[in-house]
Amino acid sequence: MFAFSRKGKKLGRVKVQLSDSAQGTRSPIRHPKRINNSNGDHATTAINDSDDSNHCSSNALELENSPSGNYEEWKKISTTGDKPTPRFNHAAAVIGKKMIVVGGESGNGLLEDVQVLNFENFSWTTTSSRLYLSPSSLQLKIPACKGHCLVPWGNKVLLIGGRTTPPSDRVSVWAFDVERECWSLMEAKGDIPVARSGHTVVRAGSFLVLFGGEDIKRRKLNDLHMFDLKSLTWLPLHCQGAGPSARCNHVAALYDDKLLLVFGGTSKSKSLNDLYSLDFETMMWSRIKIRGFHPSPRAGCCGVLCGTKWYIAGGGSRKKRHAEILVYDILKLEWSVVHTSSQQSITTNKGFSLVLHQKKETDYLVAFGGIKKEPSDQVEVLVMEKNESSMSRRMTLPSEKRSSSMGPTVGSLGRQNLASVIEHHGSGRKSLSESLLVDSNLGNVSLRKEQVLDDDAAMKLERSLEDERSSLPMEQMRKQSAEETSSMMEHDNTEKERNDDNISFQETDGKSGFFMGSSSIYQSYEINMSALVRKNGILEGQLAAALTGREAAEKNLSSVIKSRQEVEKRLNDTLKDMELMKEKLVLVEMAQEEANTLSNIVHSDHVRLEHDVAFLKAVLDDTQKELHSTRGVLSGERARAFQLQVEVFHLKQRLQSMENRTQTPRKPYHG
């Protein structure tokens, strides 16, 4: 999915034997700068019962009266200055001549301070803890944390993840400037991983690679993420093959910018001792079989990668802590034990930190903190064996002696001619044999100087062939080695013939001896030239293949740049679309608010109308009741009126009858 750049630089002259080429082994000798880069760029320091990977620094560790030799005992160092609070589950990294310690856990809770140990005088200083401004102008303060990772990057250290107070739901990345003593928050974007502790982070150039850990709910993880320090973007990485199981408190290292190693840790129910590797060129996980010493399962150990060897110290399970220092040889794929610490050493503590510092040709392991019964603030140093950079320097001595033993016969004139020949050959595609023929016609150079010059050219061409051989497949290396062996045999035969000719030249008289010697020298010169022409053909073929590969790489790079530009353009278009969508969303929200307001008004009117209708219904009911009662009263009045009419009628009848009676006179009564 993505690949890291690999820089191959080789100085000096290391002679490769044919037996090594036939076996296909890779020389562990590394240039000192290569060693420093491979460790300084990919160092990870994460402590906890969390993991630790560490930083190889090129600066010297000032230790007076320190023991010399191979792997002495741990030595306690008395420090000065403001000693830090005893702690464990912190993180440490080396920047220049200083060890930076951040956070951790004490007996009273989590810590948020930054402590600096100066290796020159072993004095502690505490940086001021204050509020800082983020790019969005918000006042921020670094949270108290444990189980985080600390990665060096130039004159800064990067703090990634960890269990914080207050807790967070996503991984945050902080940068601490050692010179300015200032924190800043990297406001990341993209697919940001969930918050975690006990994870590992390694760095390759401007990329961070995060693996595993434990989330807030204490669930173990085995996901892989990449963070681009330039664009501040998180991306998930998808790999093939059976990868490591979910784990935390493991160790990880990045070798040669392309091989990620993961060892140990703890899963849901047990500690682990398996070793996995991820090749970033194929994005394929593979489990490495255990060879040599069989390491016991362990978690919370610390790892230091230096050259081709990976040193692992401490760690263990809930019941036992391990005191041995393991080393894994990346080329031999083999485990071994290089040192066993005493039980009083802080490497048997839980949650200590470990960093690597180099002083000239000696490596020093510096351990700090941890907890056994109580948190510790002790610093211990272990003097290790001579590092590989001194070996590479010693390997260059024979070639230097060989070149210096040729004496003043190969003067500055010969070196300038050879340099001009190689420059013309590399720039103008000119044949090396033609350049040597032109240089052979110089009038001020004698035949003896030409002969020495040819020997010097052959030796330096052999050196360049050996440099080129490291990038060739094994079959081509064998063929080329055989051809070089035959050419060297021919060169020895010509030297022998040359010596015989010189002897015959001394026995004969002046003119005849001179012509015999010059003719033999000319023949040997032709033989050397034919050998150089053959080697030139091989070099031209290799150069053509290299140019073809370079053109292909440039095409791939241009296509990658174009694709990146297209992706950036699409990203910009997407951002613009997002801005438009945000504006539309704001308008929709405003329309929604207006609609809600109108809906509320309508609802209030509806409620009021319902109240009015209910009131009118009540009035109507009362009116109907009154009308009904009025009708009853009216019917009663009508009945009474009818009754009165009847009574009036009866009264009229009675009155009429009475009137009729009064009209008839009564007869007088005569008694």
Side-chain angles (χ1 to χ4, degrees):
M1 183 176 177
F2 74 98
F4 299 108
S5 63
R6 180 181 178 183
K7 299 179 182 178
K9 294 182 180 180
K10 188 175 181 182
L11 299 178
R13 181 173 180 267
V14 181
K15 189 171 183 180
V16 181
Q17 301 294 332
L18 293 177
S19 59
D20 294 338
S21 300
Q23 292 174 0
T25 60
R26 185 177 179 183
S27 173
I29 304 300
R30 293 285 180 188
H31 187 259
K33 181 180 283 188
R34 181 70 176 176
I35 292 176
N36 294 337
N37 288 339
S38 63
N39 294 280
D41 289 346
H42 321 313
T44 307
T45 49
I47 296 103
N48 19 279
D49 247 42
S50 299
D51 101 321
D52 282 65
S53 298
N54 298 276
H55 173 58
C56 287
S57 174
S58 61
N59 296 302
L61 182 66
E62 297 298 332
L63 278 177
E64 295 182 358
N65 301 324
S66 62
S68 60
N70 297 339
Y71 300 105
E72 299 292 339
E73 289 295 330
W74 286 95
K75 180 181 178 181
K76 292 186 178 180
I77 302 297
S78 60
T79 58
T80 59
D82 299 331
K83 290 188 177 181
T85 304
R87 68 191 65 205
F88 60 100
N89 293 345
H90 53 280
V94 173
I95 299 293
K97 298 180 181 180
K98 298 178 181 180
M99 180 176 73
I100 313 299
V101 178
V102 178
E105 185 176 5
S106 66
N108 299 325
L110 300 183
L111 301 172
E112 61 183 14
D113 57 344
V114 178
Q115 305 290 337
V116 179
L117 177 63
N118 194 329
F119 285 138
E120 292 183 342
N121 52 10
F122 281 96
S123 63
W124 286 101
T125 56
T126 303
T127 61
S128 59
S129 179
R130 58 182 184 269
L131 295 176
Y132 304 100
L133 294 179
S134 68
S136 59
S137 299
L138 297 177
Q139 288 189 346
L140 297 174
K141 188 177 182 181
I142 174 176
C145 55
K146 69 172 184 177
H148 48 284
C149 294
L150 203 63
V151 180
W153 184 36
N155 62 343
K156 298 180 180 180
V157 288
L158 304 177
L159 189 152
I160 305 100
R163 186 166 298 170
T164 61
T165 301
S168 175
D169 58 344
R170 295 290 174 182
V171 170
S172 59
V173 181
W174 292 79
F176 178 74
D177 194 320
V178 179
E179 297 178 355
R180 299 171 56 193
E181 296 185 357
C182 178
W183 281 103
S184 61
L185 176 64
M186 293 186 172
E187 296 187 348
K189 54 188 176 182
D191 192 357
I192 304 176
V194 296
R196 65 193 65 199
S197 62
H199 52 287
T200 55
V201 178
V202 295
R203 184 175 70 86
S206 60
F207 295 95
L208 298 180
V209 180
L210 179 147
F211 172 76
E214 183 182 61
D215 63 6
I216 302 176
K217 298 181 180 179
R218 295 191 177 277
R219 293 178 297 188
K220 306 300 186 293
L221 306 170
N222 63 344
D223 51 348
L224 191 67
H225 298 267
M226 182 187 71
F227 181 65
D228 189 348
L229 293 172
K230 294 181 179 179
S231 62
L232 304 181
T233 305
W234 281 101
L235 292 174
L237 299 181
H238 303 287
C239 307
Q240 300 177 355
S245 59
R247 65 189 65 202
C248 66
N249 300 336
H250 52 281
V251 288
L254 185 64
Y255 172 71
D256 204 15
D257 283 359
K258 70 174 183 178
L259 189 66
L260 176 66
L261 300 173
V262 176
F263 170 74
T266 178
S267 62
K268 294 182 179 179
S269 59
K270 63 178 181 179
S271 299
L272 305 171
N273 65 339
D274 50 355
L275 177 62
Y276 284 85
S277 66
L278 173 63
D279 191 343
F280 282 110
E281 292 182 351
T282 60
M283 297 303 293
M284 177 72 70
W285 280 107
S286 61
R287 181 170 181 175
I288 301 176
K289 295 182 179 180
I290 296 178
R291 293 176 54 186
F293 179 78
H294 197 286
S296 55
R298 63 191 66 203
C301 48
C302 302
V304 171
L305 178 65
C306 188
T308 61
K309 294 184 179 180
W310 190 19
Y311 297 93
I312 297 176
S317 58
R318 294 181 180 178
K319 298 181 180 180
K320 182 181 179 182
R321 307 293 298 178
H322 302 292
E324 68 269 17
I325 297 180
L326 304 175
V327 60
Y328 177 71
D329 194 314
I330 299 176
L331 298 182
K332 297 180 181 179
L333 305 178
E334 187 174 75
W335 287 97
S336 60
V337 177
V338 296
H339 179 73
T340 301
S341 308
S342 63
Q343 292 298 326
Q344 288 74 26
S345 174
I346 63 176
T347 57
T348 59
N349 290 355
K350 196 176 180 182
F352 70 99
S353 65
L354 186 72
V355 296
L356 179 70
H357 205 70
Q358 291 179 323
K359 176 185 177 183
K360 296 181 180 179
E361 298 180 353
T362 307
D363 296 333
Y364 297 90
L365 288 180
V366 182
F368 168 70
I371 183 173
K372 189 169 290 182
K373 294 182 180 179
E374 295 292 335
S376 173
D377 61 351
Q378 184 63 45
V379 177
E380 290 186 0
V381 173
L382 176 66
V383 183
M384 301 173 64
E385 64 182 359
K386 301 291 184 181
N387 57 35
E388 294 177 353
S389 60
S390 61
M391 295 175 60
S392 63
R393 285 194 292 269
R394 288 196 297 269
M395 291 298 292
T396 59
L397 291 178
S399 62
E400 293 174 358
K401 290 181 179 179
R402 180 177 176 182
S403 61
S404 62
S405 64
M406 300 183 69
T409 49
V410 188
S412 60
L413 180 61
R415 287 193 294 270
Q416 292 175 0
N417 290 336
L418 183 59
S420 62
V421 168
I422 295 175
E423 183 179 0
H424 287 304
H425 174 66
S427 60
R429 303 285 297 166
K430 187 177 180 180
S431 174
L432 188 60
S433 60
E434 295 176 359
S435 300
L436 288 175
L437 285 174
V438 172
D439 291 340
S440 65
N441 293 327
L442 295 173
N444 295 329
V445 182
S446 63
L447 292 176
R448 179 60 181 171
K449 288 186 177 181
E450 290 177 358
Q451 179 182 350
V452 175
L453 180 59
D454 293 336
D455 292 339
D456 191 12
M459 181 172 55
K460 292 195 175 182
L461 283 174
E462 180 184 356
R463 183 181 306 173
S464 64
L465 284 173
E466 289 174 355
D467 293 338
E468 292 288 334
R469 184 186 300 165
S470 60
S471 62
L472 292 176
M474 293 306 302
E475 294 182 358
Q476 294 183 7
M477 289 173 64
R478 294 175 184 173
K479 292 180 180 179
Q480 185 175 348
S481 300
E483 291 176 359
E484 290 179 0
T485 305
S486 62
S487 63
M488 290 174 66
M489 293 176 63
E490 292 177 0
H491 184 270
D492 293 336
N493 293 331
T494 56
E495 288 290 338
K496 186 175 181 181
E497 293 175 0
R498 187 179 300 166
N499 293 332
D500 295 338
D501 292 337
N502 289 334
I503 294 173
S504 62
F505 171 74
Q506 292 176 359
E507 292 177 353
T508 57
D509 55 353
K511 293 184 179 180
S512 61
F514 174 78
F515 286 111
M516 289 176 64
S518 61
S519 62
S520 61
I521 291 173
Y522 182 75
Q523 291 176 359
S524 63
Y525 181 78
E526 287 184 348
I527 294 173
N528 290 334
M529 288 302 301
S530 62
L532 290 175
V533 168
R534 288 196 300 271
K535 292 179 182 178
N536 182 36
I538 297 173
L539 286 175
E540 287 181 349
Q542 295 174 1
L543 182 60
L547 290 175
T548 304
R550 180 181 178 182
E551 292 176 356
E554 289 177 351
K555 290 181 180 178
N556 293 332
L557 181 60
S558 61
S559 62
V560 168
I561 293 173
K562 290 181 180 178
S563 61
R564 180 179 178 180
Q565 292 176 352
E566 292 177 356
V567 169
E568 290 179 351
K569 185 177 179 181
R570 293 177 183 176
L571 182 61
N572 293 329
D573 295 338
T574 305
L575 292 175
K576 292 180 181 178
D577 294 338
M578 288 179 63
E579 294 295 333
L580 294 175
M581 292 297 294
K582 287 181 180 178
E583 293 177 358
K584 292 181 180 179
L585 183 61
V586 171
L587 296 176
V588 170
E589 289 178 351
M590 293 175 62
Q592 184 68 29
E593 290 179 357
E594 293 178 358
N596 292 333
T597 304
L598 293 176
S599 177
N600 293 331
I601 295 172
V602 171
H603 180 69
S604 61
D605 293 340
H606 181 70
V607 171
R608 187 179 61 187
L609 289 174
E610 285 182 351
H611 285 296
D612 294 341
V613 169
F615 176 74
L616 291 175
K617 283 183 179 180
V619 172
L620 181 61
D621 291 338
D622 293 338
T623 305
Q624 287 179 353
K625 288 180 181 179
E626 291 180 356
L627 181 61
H628 182 70
S629 62
T630 303
R631 285 177 180 177
V633 173
L634 183 61
S635 61
E637 293 295 330
R638 286 178 180 177
R640 288 180 63 185
F642 181 75
Q643 187 177 2
L644 289 174
Q645 289 178 358
V646 172
E647 290 180 354
V648 169
F649 180 74
H650 288 298
L651 288 175
K652 285 181 177 181
Q653 287 182 352
R654 288 177 64 185
L655 181 61
Q656 188 176 4
S657 63
M658 290 179 66
E659 289 178 353
N660 292 331
R661 287 179 182 176
T662 56
Q663 291 178 2
T664 58
R666 292 181 182 180
K667 291 179 177 183
Y669 180 70
H670 300 281

